[in-house]
Amino acid sequence: MSSPTIIRPYRPADEPAVMDLWSRAVRRAHPFIEGEGTGERAREVREVYLAQADNWVAEEERDGTVVALLGLLGSEIGGLFVAPEAQGRGIGAQLLEHAASRHGALTLGVFARNEAARAFYAHLGFTERDRRTDEATGEVVITLGRPAPLRSVGWLHIRDGRLLSVRTRGNDTFYLPGGKYEPGETAPEALSRELSEELGLSVPAGGLREAFTIHATAHGVNAGRPLHMTCFTGGPQDISPAPGREIAEYAWFDAQESRERCAPAHMRVVNRLIAQGRMAA
C-alpha cells in the first residue's frame, strides 16, 4: 500500500533529494531534449529556482522521503516534478490543488511533445492559452491556464449509514446540503447560513468541525470548472429538515443510490466516507 503524503514548504536540506527526483523526472518527461536534467539546466534549478521560487515538497508520511517538488512564481507554476517511482498516485494533482488553494487561477508552460503532461493537465481542467518557441531548446512550449476553483461547503450528516442529500427545484441531481460562500464569510459561517436557508436548521458555525476537502469538477451551470468543497461534521443529529429557498426535496442515500442520483463531487465524498468506515460500499 502507498504511503500517504504530506505537503510542506521546501527546506534547504531537501536540495539533494529534490535535485535527484527532478533530474530523473525531467529525463523521463523530456527524452527529446539532449542532456536534459544535467549541466547548465541543473545549475539554474539549484541556484535560481530553488532559491527564489515559492517551493513546496510532498514527502512520504511514513518515512519523510521527498517524492515531489512544486515551484510557484506567484500564480504561475514554474515546475511540478514527481519522482518516477511515485507517479500515478495522485501526488501531482494534490500539489496542483495546493497551488490553487493559495493562488486561485493558475498558469504553466509545458512542452508540446510532452504528451503525458498535456493529458494530465487537461484532465485537471487546464486549457491552451498560447504557444511559443523556447529559445534554449527550440521546442514549442504551450501555455496552459485554469480559472480559480469554485469554493463551496458541504454538510456530512449520516443516519443509519445513509448520507443526507438535497435536490434543487428544476434539477434531478442531488448534492450535499451547503453551497457557496458570501463575501466576508468563513467556511463554517457559510455552511451555517446555507443550512438555515436550505433546510431551516439552526447549526451554529462554532459547532461545525472540518472533516476534509474534496477537489472535483463542478456540475450544472458551472460544469467543467474546478471545485474545492470543504466538508464539515457537527451540529444536531436528530433533525427535521424543512426545505426552503430553492430546495425541492431532501433524502438520505446509501452508496449505490448516491452513484445513481448524485453529482460527481458527491460521489467523491461518499468514497471518502466509505474509506473512513462511516458508510458501507
Side-chain angles (χ1 to χ4, degrees):
M1 174 181 273
S2 299
S3 169
T5 55
I6 298 171
I7 296 175
R8 61 164 175 80
Y10 168 83
R11 298 190 288 255
D14 298 321
E15 182 183 307
V18 162
M19 291 302 300
D20 174 67
L21 74 86
W22 167 80
S23 179
R24 291 185 293 117
V26 294
R27 288 201 302 269
R28 169 183 278 198
H30 308 148
F32 45 84
I33 297 178
E34 185 176 354
E36 178 67 308
T38 62
E40 177 61 20
R41 175 60 172 157
R43 185 200 65 78
E44 185 178 31
V45 169
R46 180 183 295 106
E47 297 180 7
V48 179
Y49 288 100
L50 290 183
Q52 298 179 10
D54 178 21
N55 294 301
W56 297 79
V57 300
E59 68 175 18
E60 301 280 17
E61 186 175 32
R62 175 186 56 215
D63 58 12
T65 300
V66 174
V67 293
L69 170 70
L70 167 71
L72 295 171
L73 304 168
S75 62
E76 178 184 357
I77 296 175
L80 175 60
F81 310 101
V82 180
E85 65 275 11
Q87 293 177 9
R89 290 169 44 192
I91 296 171
Q94 186 182 3
L95 284 165
L96 275 176
E97 299 308 339
H98 175 76
S101 71
R102 293 176 63 80
H103 295 286
L106 299 172
T107 60
L108 58 90
V110 61
F111 286 116
R113 288 209 274 172
N114 189 352
E115 296 181 359
R118 291 173 61 186
F120 167 75
Y121 290 120
H123 176 70
L124 293 174
F126 285 80
T127 57
E128 182 173 337
R129 299 283 176 84
D130 60 42
R131 296 187 175 213
R132 62 178 174 83
T133 299
D134 179 55
E135 293 183 2
T137 63
E139 294 287 334
V140 174
V141 174
I142 303 174
T143 299
L144 303 176
R146 192 182 77 170
L150 293 170
R151 296 170 64 238
S152 70
V153 288
W155 193 38
L156 305 175
H157 190 282
I158 301 172
R159 175 183 292 179
D160 299 326
R162 294 171 174 266
L163 182 63
L164 178 64
S165 309
V166 297
R167 180 179 66 82
T168 56
R169 292 184 176 88
N171 196 341
D172 60 1
T173 303
F174 282 77
Y175 303 82
L176 282 184
K180 301 181 183 67
Y181 296 64
E182 294 289 349
E185 286 184 325
T186 65
E189 289 169 347
L191 183 54
S192 177
R193 173 185 51 76
E194 288 283 350
L195 292 177
S196 175
E197 294 174 353
E198 290 186 348
L199 296 172
L201 299 175
S202 178
V203 182
L208 293 167
R209 300 183 300 278
E210 183 174 336
F212 49 74
T213 298
I214 293 294
H215 303 293
T217 301
H219 182 267
V221 295
N222 293 298
R225 187 169 172 182
L227 170 70
H228 288 187
M229 181 168 61
T230 305
C231 299
F232 290 82
T233 59
Q237 292 304 299
D238 185 13
I239 60 172
S240 298
R245 208 174 61 174
E246 77 272 18
I247 301 301
E249 64 175 322
Y250 64 88
W252 274 271
F253 290 138
D254 61 19
Q256 182 58 41
E257 292 165 330
S258 294
R259 293 186 182 94
E260 296 169 353
R261 305 194 63 182
C262 297
H266 191 291
M267 270 314 305
R268 293 204 177 191
V269 170
V270 170
N271 290 338
R272 183 72 68 88
L273 294 172
I274 289 172
Q276 294 177 347
R278 300 185 62 195
M279 291 184 69

